Amino acid sequence: MPLQTLFRSFRLSFLPPLMVYVAAGISGLTGIVGTFFVKEYLGLSAQFLAALGFWLVLPWTLKMPVGHVVDLLWRWKAGFVFLGAAFLMASIAIMLGLLLEPQAMRALMPADRWYVLAAVLSPVGYMLQDVVADAMTVEAVPHRHPDGRPVAAEELRAMHTTMQTLGRVAIVGGTIVVALINVGFLSGVEALPREAKAAAYANVYASALAIPLISIAGVVIAALMRRGVVAGGDAERARPPVNWWVLGGGLAFAVVSVAVGLADLKYGQEVVFVASMCIVVVLILRLVRELDADARATLLGTALVIFVFRAMPGPGAGASWWGIDVLGFDPAFLAKLSMLSGLVALAGLLIYRRFFAQQSIYQVVGWLTVLGSVMALPQIGMAYGLHEWTAARTGGVVDARFIAILDTALESPLGQVAMVPMLAWIANSAPATLKATYFAVMASFTNLALSAAQLGTKYLNRAFVVSREVRDAASGAVKVPADYSEIGVLLITCMALGLVVPLATIVLVRAVRLKGA
């Protein structure tokens, strides 16, 4: 698809939410150094990190009440972005302290606890900013021409699709910038002594302090547009009535989550997940009452299919450790993989956007399920020595890194392209004064799928134990030996679940819809 087709519907009012999305894309700047920091400086197990991942996804389910509050206080949306920026800066400051002044930080609290605190602050900050950005994408699309004529439905749908596509482009573009920065900062870092390595990691975290400033600049530009200082802004929208179901449901979720977390129940994560799911489902059922029967059935079927697709467990941190220790992937190479993934995903958004937008969500998820399973085969093969076999027969050309690069290039565009039709559909169909609420409730449901995936990952890591070597910080003695013997069966199990369960769900949902029709 030519670029002029994609950008034909672009408006200057698209710029503020795109800046927030760029910041979201750059948020992965510390991802690689975070992985190596945990591996080299902390004694956390793969099972613990999978459990932590469950709690880190939960702040995103708070998009429900936060989204509705943003709708109610839309004139002060910049405040939510500023608050999110404060959380992000606090998270980065903690990590800088752990790297540059570890003894002083450990004197106040164990390093593991500092890391967990920093890990929790980050998603809360990004959630606050993302809620505002989602609603801003809807506000950015005009419903009337400059002469007052209403925009035709087809043109409106095209602009929403363009806005959501550019949002994905902004996020992916941010990941490419991240990869370029990481390549520069992390080249040769694996050969440095421990203190110098910590300083190199700290440089990456220090650079991440610029991320919140980009989001703040976006809302400042939006405010200038609203006041007519910059061309392209739209009129202030009306304030919606308070929806006590959304606020009450969100508050109930928060109370249950905090209570269960403080009680330290044996199955606390499972209790929080079930309670959260019940609350979100009730809220969705109440919101969809405003839709007609066909639109309601489409929304519920779409939400279920996407939920199951995103709920499939992954191999967890053990797969990253295996890539580092066994396959020899260093930080600079992982940064290059990230850059390649972003570039290919960006190309995929531009090339396949129209194709995926014209397909039903069932077809899109079906294709992604099959392709994702196929893309998992090279990694499984390397767990059983595929890279050694290919390297021996190609003079070392087709080695582990070659296979990883090829696999990344083929897999990377799938997820980002699939998001466009779903986001455009939500933006085009949500009530005019409840855009943030609508986005937030639907996002909370699909993000609960990520919590389910983390639970599944935790159980898989419990069944198939993968551990890297852990040494005592003082004596250097090995506390936990490395054990990657079960990485192959772990990867196979993940692939099998990721193929069978989503396809079975699609067949079931379509059968129910046909029967209902």
Side-chain angles (χ1 to χ4, degrees):
M1 180 183 64
L3 288 178
Q4 60 267 29
T5 303
L6 176 63
F7 293 103
R8 186 176 300 159
S9 302
F10 180 82
R11 279 170 51 94
L12 186 59
S13 57
F14 290 4
L15 182 61
L18 290 179
M19 294 181 69
V20 182
Y21 283 141
V22 166
I26 302 177
S27 67
L29 177 62
T30 59
I32 293 176
V33 295
T35 298
F36 278 83
F37 174 82
V38 171
K39 180 179 181 295
E40 297 169 2
Y41 293 85
L42 301 179
L44 305 177
S45 68
Q47 182 178 329
F48 176 88
L49 292 173
L52 176 61
F54 171 87
W55 295 108
L56 298 186
V57 171
L58 286 180
W60 291 95
T61 62
L62 286 174
K63 287 183 73 173
M64 292 183 297
V66 173
H68 193 55
V69 172
V70 167
D71 276 327
L72 296 173
L73 304 176
W74 186 246
R75 291 180 58 188
W76 295 279
K77 59 181 175 290
F80 292 93
V81 176
F82 286 130
L83 181 60
F87 280 115
L88 294 174
M89 289 182 174
S91 174
I92 295 169
I94 290 173
M95 295 305 298
L96 283 172
L98 287 174
L99 287 164
L100 299 178
E101 297 292 339
Q103 297 304 321
M105 297 290 284
R106 290 173 189 268
L108 298 174
M109 192 165 63
D112 292 358
R113 294 186 182 181
W114 278 119
Y115 174 76
V116 170
L117 177 59
V120 171
L121 288 174
S122 184
V124 172
Y126 283 116
M127 179 272 293
L128 290 170
Q129 297 190 346
D130 190 65
V131 168
V132 178
D134 285 343
M136 288 172 68
T137 63
V138 182
E139 183 187 56
V141 175
H143 286 249
R144 292 187 177 277
H145 293 287
D147 59 5
R149 291 181 298 107
V151 176
E154 189 62 32
E155 184 181 357
L156 191 64
R157 186 160 43 250
M159 281 194 289
H160 278 302
T161 302
T162 297
M163 178 70 256
Q164 298 304 329
T165 300
L166 292 176
R168 299 303 100 188
V169 169
I171 291 175
V172 173
T175 65
I176 295 173
V177 172
V178 164
L180 289 171
I181 295 174
N182 274 321
V183 168
F185 276 129
L186 300 178
S187 294
V189 72
E190 70 279 0
L192 296 175
R194 185 180 179 87
E195 293 76 12
K197 189 180 294 186
Y201 293 166
N203 287 334
V204 178
Y205 278 102
S207 300
L209 288 171
I211 297 174
L213 302 180
I214 299 174
S215 300
I216 291 173
V219 295
V220 169
I221 293 175
L224 295 175
M225 287 181 173
R226 190 169 62 250
R227 289 167 172 76
V229 179
V230 179
D234 293 315
E236 189 70 42
R237 64 184 186 177
R239 177 174 174 172
V242 177
N243 188 319
W244 293 107
W245 277 93
V246 174
L247 293 180
L251 179 61
F253 164 79
V255 170
V256 170
S257 299
V258 172
V260 172
L262 293 176
D264 195 24
L265 298 179
K266 181 178 181 181
Y267 296 102
Q269 295 174 358
E270 290 78 2
V271 170
V272 170
F273 174 76
V274 173
S276 303
M277 179 63 71
C278 292
I279 292 170
V280 174
V281 168
V282 169
L283 293 178
I284 289 177
L285 293 177
R286 292 194 64 84
L287 281 178
V288 298
R289 289 180 179 182
E290 300 182 21
L291 304 177
D292 60 61
D294 186 62
R296 184 164 55 247
T298 299
L299 173 63
L300 295 177
T302 297
L304 179 59
V305 168
I306 293 175
F307 179 90
V308 172
F309 175 70
R310 301 187 74 182
M312 293 301 97
S320 299
W321 300 337
W322 168 68
I324 295 168
D325 289 344
V326 178
L327 301 182
F329 295 166
D330 55 63
F333 176 71
L334 293 178
K336 293 173 184 176
L337 275 185
S338 177
M339 181 173 63
L340 174 65
S341 175
L343 289 171
V344 177
L346 186 61
L349 279 168
L350 299 177
I351 296 172
Y352 295 111
R353 195 251 334 178
R354 182 179 296 275
F355 170 77
F356 277 103
Q358 292 173 344
Q359 309 300 313
S360 71
I361 292 294
Y362 305 136
Q363 292 172 311
V364 170
V365 172
W367 276 107
L368 291 176
T369 297
V370 174
L371 292 175
S373 298
V374 172
M375 294 303 102
L377 293 176
Q379 189 180 31
I380 294 173
M382 287 194 290
Y384 293 98
L386 172 65
H387 55 294
E388 298 172 352
W389 184 86
T390 55
R393 285 156 179 77
T394 59
V397 174
V398 185
D399 57 2
R401 296 194 174 200
F402 182 96
I403 294 174
I405 289 173
L406 180 63
D407 192 41
T408 298
L410 293 174
E411 183 181 13
S412 55
L414 302 181
Q416 290 291 347
V417 177
M419 293 295 291
V420 172
M422 181 188 72
L423 294 173
W425 187 88
I426 295 174
N428 196 46
S429 60
T433 58
L434 293 173
K435 298 300 188 182
T437 304
Y438 220 83
F439 263 106
V441 172
M442 294 306 300
S444 294
F445 182 68
T446 54
N447 284 327
L448 271 175
L450 300 182
S451 295
Q454 290 294 339
L455 281 176
T457 299
K458 182 184 74 171
Y459 291 131
L460 288 180
N461 276 273
R462 186 177 296 172
F464 309 107
V465 178
V466 176
S467 60
R468 89 287 197 195
E469 182 181 275
V470 177
R471 292 180 176 270
D472 183 82
S475 65
V478 176
K479 295 171 59 178
V480 179
D483 182 5
Y484 297 110
S485 60
E486 296 190 313
I487 187 68
V489 67
L490 174 61
L491 294 173
I492 291 173
T493 303
C494 291
M495 185 200 70
L497 290 172
L499 176 65
V500 174
V501 179
L503 291 181
T505 303
I506 293 172
V507 172
L508 178 62
V509 169
R510 297 193 68 172
V512 170
R513 287 212 62 191
L514 289 174
K515 184 178 180 180

